[in-house]
Amino acid sequence: MGAIRLDGRLKAAMLLARPCGVCADIGADHGRLSAALLQSGRAGHVLTADVSAPSLNKAKTLLGGLGLSDRATFAVADGLRALDALSVPAETVFVLGMGGQTLSRILEEGRERLHGAALVLGAQTDLPLVRETLCRIGYRIRQEQPVKENRRYYLLMHCTPAEDGEPAYDERQLLLGPVLLREHPPLWRDMLERRERLLQSAVSSMEQAKTPVDGEQLALYRRELDYVRQALQLFE
């Protein structure tokens, strides 16, 4: 086997993290990210972990075939419980490719195992919930990077522990992203336009419904729609 080639999403996630001695790849599945971290020298040692034993076996086979097994620790475990398999704390923890509710649960349940590690996260859904959870466990977002891969949009986050007195995010930041609001990268515009269409459709459907609707949810959608439209003005 030769050098591992990552898709755009995984490559972008890898490059968000600083080179370090020990990384953890939580939910590693096929193990390609773990292999690339080791091959590139961005990690000296990798914890490759998955809740599924068959998935982890795929990763073991891949890393073994590349001659990287001696620089990896393998663990079948749920979420950040896998960090217990390391003899030293991980410096960076990757958690990618899962829904926001699952990711938030993993962070909440495993917060005491992080020991200040940097986080590289990639939630597929419920981004506001993930941002809220990060604040609750004492982290803040340092980078938010939109990525487009196979016609789908992804948002990657690089997070570190909050500084003393660093405020939690307000509603607008939770919904749209604190770094995106500050830096407004070009690809974010496409994501905002898509979100605007979805919100407008949802608001219209609820306003025209002949049965009772959740008033609080409708109000939240309206506020988010206003935030999105304000953000789109940044690109004009």
Side-chain angles (χ1 to χ4, degrees):
M1 295 185 185
I4 288 293
R5 296 183 63 181
L6 299 178
D7 63 23
R9 178 180 65 91
L10 287 180
K11 183 176 181 181
M14 181 176 75
L15 295 178
L16 275 181
R18 294 180 179 179
C20 62
V22 180
C23 287
D25 183 6
I26 305 298
D29 191 22
H30 42 58
R32 296 181 69 84
L33 176 61
S34 293
L37 286 164
L38 295 172
Q39 284 188 330
S40 65
R42 298 186 72 83
H45 191 91
V46 168
L47 168 65
T48 304
D50 203 282
V51 71
S52 163
S55 291
L56 192 66
N57 284 335
K58 290 189 293 185
K60 286 181 178 179
T61 298
L62 177 66
L63 270 66
L66 293 167
L68 299 171
S69 294
D70 61 338
R71 296 168 59 199
T73 297
F74 298 97
V76 175
D78 183 13
L80 299 181
R81 292 183 179 88
L83 295 174
D84 294 345
L86 290 170
S87 58
V88 297
E91 297 162 57
T92 300
V93 176
F94 293 84
V95 191
L96 306 168
M98 56 189 69
Q101 291 191 14
T102 299
L103 178 51
S104 294
R105 176 189 63 79
I106 285 172
L107 294 175
E108 287 273 16
E109 293 179 355
R111 60 198 298 179
E112 300 301 327
R113 291 177 163 90
L114 288 172
H115 302 294
L119 302 174
V120 178
L121 309 177
Q124 314 284 55
T125 58
D126 298 304
L127 291 169
L129 174 62
V130 174
R131 296 183 182 112
E132 184 179 14
T133 301
L134 285 165
C135 289
R136 194 159 51 244
I137 69 169
Y139 274 72
R140 298 294 184 273
I141 303 167
R142 308 308 175 194
Q143 293 171 271
E144 290 181 296
Q145 183 172 336
V147 178
K148 186 177 182 181
E149 181 74 25
N150 294 328
R151 301 182 182 180
R152 294 191 62 184
Y153 292 95
Y154 302 91
L155 185 69
L156 302 171
M157 303 177 185
H158 178 245
C159 317
T160 62
E163 302 290 340
D164 289 341
E166 189 171 6
Y169 301 133
D170 60 25
E171 182 181 72
R172 179 168 171 262
Q173 292 172 317
L174 289 173
L175 289 169
L176 298 191
V179 181
L180 294 173
L181 282 164
R182 184 174 66 246
E183 299 181 354
H184 39 89
L187 195 58
W188 186 42
R189 180 175 188 168
D190 297 338
M191 299 174 71
L192 285 170
E193 290 173 342
R194 180 175 183 274
R195 186 62 179 165
E196 182 185 30
R197 291 192 296 271
L198 291 172
L199 285 167
Q200 183 59 67
S201 177
V203 168
S204 296
S205 295
M206 294 178 76
E207 288 175 340
Q208 297 169 18
K210 296 181 179 179
T211 56
V213 298
D214 184 336
E216 289 187 8
Q217 185 64 65
L218 176 57
L220 177 60
Y221 282 159
R222 286 171 171 163
R223 292 198 303 275
E224 185 180 357
L225 185 57
D226 285 341
Y227 295 144
V228 167
R229 287 171 171 167
Q230 291 166 18
L232 281 168
Q233 293 176 3
L234 298 170
F235 296 94
E236 295 178 355

